[in-house]
C-alpha cells in the first residue's frame, strides 16, 4: 500500500530558526514553510519536517541521510559551509573522515540539535 506513497521524513529541533538556517543555508534544502510547530523543507521528492520539541536528547545513530553521486565533492562543499564531519574510533575512516564499505562510502555530521546526518555514495550495483 505505501510503496507508491511519498515518504515524509522527520527530525526534532529545539530551535526552529536555527534549524531553518542550517537546512537552507548549509544543507541547501528548499525551504517550504515555517509554523510554530515545524519547518518544512524539500529534498528531492522527500519532504522533511523539522519538528519543534521542548526537550531533546540526540541519538547516537543516523536519523537522516542523503545518497550523493560524489561524496568527496559533497564533503568539501559542506566543509566550506562550516560543517565538521564525525570521526568514529571503531571505523577505518580516511583523512576526509569517509568510511569505505563494500557497498560504498559514508561520512557523518550533525545538525545544530545534534541529530546525526550522513552522506552515502553507493558503489554501482548497490
Amino acid at each position: 500500500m505505501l510503496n507508491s506513497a511519498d515518504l515524509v521524513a522527520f527530525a526534532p529541533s529545539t530551535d526552529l530558526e536555527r534549524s531553518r538556517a542550517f537546512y537552507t543555508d548549509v544543507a541547501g534544502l528548499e525551504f517550504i514553510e515555517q509554523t510554530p510547530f515545524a519547518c518544512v523543507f524539500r529534498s528531492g521528492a522527500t519532504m522533511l519536517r523539522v519538528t519543534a520539541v521542548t526537550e531533546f536528547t540526540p541519538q547516537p545513530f543516523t536519523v537522516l541521510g542523503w545518497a550523493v553521486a560524489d561524496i568527496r565533492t559533497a564533503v568539501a562543499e559542506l566543509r566550506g559551509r562550516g560543517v565538521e564531519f564525525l570521526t568514529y574510533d571503531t571505523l577505518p575512516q580516511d583523512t576526509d573522515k569517509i568510511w569505505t564499505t563494500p557497498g560504498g562510502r559514508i561520512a557523518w555530521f550533525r545538525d545544530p540539535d545534534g541529530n546525526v546526518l550522513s552522506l552515502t555514495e553507493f558503489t554501482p550495483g548497490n
Side-chain angles (χ1 to χ4, degrees):
M1 172 185 130
L2 296 178
N3 67 334
S4 62
D6 290 335
L7 181 67
V8 178
F10 294 85
S13 173
T14 58
D15 184 333
L16 291 181
E17 289 298 325
R18 183 181 63 194
S19 291
R20 179 177 176 175
F22 175 81
Y23 282 100
T24 56
D25 300 338
V26 177
L29 301 187
E30 177 188 356
F31 173 73
I32 304 298
E33 70 173 341
Q34 183 172 341
T35 71
F37 308 105
C39 281
V40 181
F41 305 92
R42 183 151 313 281
S43 179
T46 302
M47 177 188 296
L48 170 61
R49 293 186 58 86
V50 177
T51 306
V53 296
T54 55
E55 294 180 24
F56 172 65
T57 301
Q59 298 301 307
F61 48 82
T62 306
V63 299
L64 293 172
W66 289 267
V68 296
D70 182 342
I71 196 166
R72 294 213 184 274
T73 298
V75 164
E77 187 172 327
L78 286 170
R79 269 206 181 103
R81 296 177 183 189
V83 171
E84 293 183 24
F85 284 83
L86 302 175
T87 300
Y88 292 102
D89 295 336
T90 58
L91 300 175
Q93 293 168 273
D94 65 20
T95 57
D96 286 327
K97 300 185 180 178
I98 297 170
W99 178 42
T100 300
T101 73
R105 297 188 289 179
I106 307 168
W108 294 270
F109 59 103
R110 294 185 187 278
D111 75 2
D113 281 280
N115 292 304
V116 177
L117 313 177
S118 70
L119 303 175
T120 303
E121 177 186 319
F122 291 99
T123 302
N126 286 320

